[in-house]
Each structure stands twice: as C-alpha cells, then as structure tokens.
Amino acid sequence: MNRPLVIGNWKMNLDYVEAVHLIQQIGVIVRNRPLEHVDLVVAPPFVDIRSVTSVVESERIALEVGAQHASVHDAGAHTGEVSVPMLQRLNVKWILVGHSERRAHYAMTDEVVAQTLRTVTRQGVHAVLCVGEELAVRNDEGHLDFVSAQLHAALEGLDEKSRPLVSVAYEPVWAIGTGLTASTEQVRDMTEHIRTVLASLSLEATRVLYGGSVNAENAASLMSEGRVDGFLVGGASLKAESFLAIGQAADDCYAGKR
Ligand code: 13P
C-alpha cells in the first residue's frame, strides 16, 4: 500500500476570508491530532490560494496547497486562465487535471487534459489526473473501457521524470456531490483495473485515489475494502472536522489499526 494522499477540493466555495477561517480550523485540529502517515492537501479557489498559503506557512500547518486547475499554456493571451508558473510562485505543489466538472462544462478534451498534465509535471508540480464515467456508461457496463481510454489518452508516452509526479483519482461522475457513493466492490474493481492499466504504462507506483461523496463515515471502508491510496474530497472538505476525520481514517488504515 502507498502512503495515503487526502486532498480537499473546495471547488468554487469560500471567499478568501472564509478560506482563512477554514485553514486556521484545520491547523488547530492537525496540531492537536497530527496525521503521521498521510499526505494532506487542500485545493482552494485561485483567489484564496495566497491567503491560505500564508496561514499554512506562518502557522507551520502540516499540509500542502494545491490548485483545482491550471492553463495548458505557460503565459500569454488566455483571458481568465491561470498558469502553472504563477501557481508555483504561490508555492502550489499539487494541481488537479481534468476534473469531470472541467471536462463536462469547460470543454476540456482528452487532448487538452494530456497536454495540461505535461505542462504541470514539466514544472515539477504534482498532477492529480481525474478520471471517471457517467452513469449511462456504467449502466451499459462500459466503465472499465471508458476509464482505460481516459488513462491511455492522458498518460501514454509520459517521460520518466514526470511519472513519479502523477496520481490518479477515480471519480465516477454519478457519485460526485450526489451522496451516492460507489460501493466498496465497485471501487475495488475499478482501482484494480486502473492499477493494471497504470502498470502497462510503466506507472505501477502511482497512487490511486477515490472521489465521490466521501465522508467521515464511509472513508475507512472505502480505504480498506476499496483498496484506494487516499481520497479526493469535495463537500466534506469544507468542514475541518469532517475533512480531518477522513484523513484520520486513512491514517488509521495505513497504520494497520483497521
Ligand atoms: P463530493 O465529495 O462533493 O462528492 O465531490 C467529489 C469531487 O468532485 C472531488 O473532486
């Protein structure tokens, strides 16, 4: 089992004042109950990153800051976009690439996902590649092929230096924000499948996360029975207690307590 990675994706929630409040609450809990075996990351909206990073650094909170997206380009006439070098200057260490909401609503094609992933890793930043099928695809039993195709499109031919910087998050679209979590069997089958595909792409050491209505109650069983290396958490990452309860479940599981 890989060392767990737990990422809070705050999506388009919390202005910078609210974000500072949340990161301070997270800091207090982490200080009282450190997570020994978990890499913890929060991914706030772009406009909150500087404030969040300042708090993390000044209060020495044991986590790293991520971003939810980055431009495929490094600079230039791309109105509304934010580049990887800009994020790096803010000490961003992790960037989500190809979240299903970016793919579905902001025309992020497989090709752009692949190029963005390379833009991120070329700069030495960790890329979290998001994959996952819609409900209709699963109902037609096409989910394994669908996810294989997403993985191949994004990761084929990735250079050796970039490989250690990649993690994969399996987020079935039908489980995101719906309260409908994939069953531990569904998660285990898919993570095993993803690991087989990753091995065929020389990415056997890659961490495989699960995302989709993860909460403090289901995290432990998803981790142990679903055999994931961590979580990408949406809604439950907006409260310090529930986010860190998920981190604690990952920590306990890794330490062999469950
Ligand atoms: P929820 O945890 O709110 O279902 O969101 C999952 C997600 O999309 C994280 O990236």
Side-chain angles (χ1 to χ4, degrees):
M1 188 182 172
N2 290 313
R3 181 182 162 87
L5 168 64
V6 176
I7 306 176
N9 174 9
W10 295 359
K11 305 196 180 185
M12 199 173 72
N13 295 295
L14 311 180
D15 64 28
Y16 83 95
V17 176
E18 295 164 329
V20 164
H21 195 61
L22 177 56
I23 197 66
Q24 284 172 333
Q25 290 177 326
I26 289 173
V28 170
I29 299 177
V30 169
R31 198 160 301 117
N32 290 336
R33 266 191 282 141
L35 300 175
E36 278 177 57
H37 311 287
V38 175
D39 293 334
L40 207 58
V41 175
V42 292
F46 289 136
V47 293
D48 298 349
I49 289 176
R50 171 99 197 197
S51 313
V52 169
T53 306
S54 300
V55 176
V56 168
E57 286 170 2
S58 66
E59 300 187 12
R60 294 199 180 84
I61 304 172
L63 57 75
E64 290 186 319
V65 177
Q68 300 168 19
H69 172 69
S71 172
V72 66
H73 305 287
D74 279 345
H78 303 286
T79 304
E81 286 288 272
V82 173
S83 74
V84 177
M86 289 170 180
L87 294 167
Q88 250 185 323
R89 288 277 286 149
L90 296 176
N91 219 4
V92 163
K93 306 283 191 205
W94 300 80
I95 299 179
L96 308 186
V97 179
H99 190 283
S100 62
E101 288 152 18
R102 302 293 319 174
R103 293 179 189 255
H105 307 306
Y106 301 95
M108 207 173 177
T109 60
D110 274 343
E111 199 186 344
V112 176
V113 169
Q115 287 169 4
T116 306
L117 187 127
R118 282 155 183 76
T119 303
V120 171
T121 57
R122 199 170 50 235
Q123 304 281 351
V125 177
H126 293 272
V128 182
L129 171 68
C130 303
V131 297
E133 79 287 351
E134 307 234 4
L135 189 57
V137 174
R138 180 162 280 267
N139 288 342
D140 284 348
E141 297 186 1
H143 48 290
L144 298 179
D145 288 344
F146 184 88
V147 168
S148 293
Q150 285 185 321
L151 291 168
H152 277 278
L155 298 172
E156 213 144 44
L158 193 67
D159 64 71
E160 214 169 304
K161 235 177 82 202
S162 295
R163 288 183 205 145
L165 293 168
V166 174
S167 306
V168 170
Y170 169 56
E171 297 204 307
V173 176
W174 47 271
I176 295 178
T178 56
L180 197 73
T181 318
S183 70
T184 53
E185 295 75 33
Q186 287 172 323
V187 173
R188 191 188 56 231
D189 290 351
M190 183 57 90
T191 45
E192 275 173 10
H193 174 67
I194 290 173
R195 287 200 177 98
T196 306
V197 176
L198 290 173
S200 77
L201 296 165
S202 307
L203 283 153
E204 41 278 287
T206 304
R207 286 194 275 204
V208 181
L209 316 183
Y210 169 76
S213 300
V214 177
N215 57 40
E217 287 71 46
N218 59 26
S221 62
L222 282 167
M223 187 96 193
S224 55
E225 292 159 40
R227 301 199 194 131
V228 294
D229 299 314
F231 300 109
L232 182 51
V233 187
S237 72
L238 297 173
K239 294 265 182 301
E241 277 294 347
S242 50
F243 179 54
L244 292 168
I246 294 165
Q248 189 67 55
D251 195 73
D252 291 347
C253 190
Y254 189 76
K257 288 185 200 150
R258 284 176 201 269

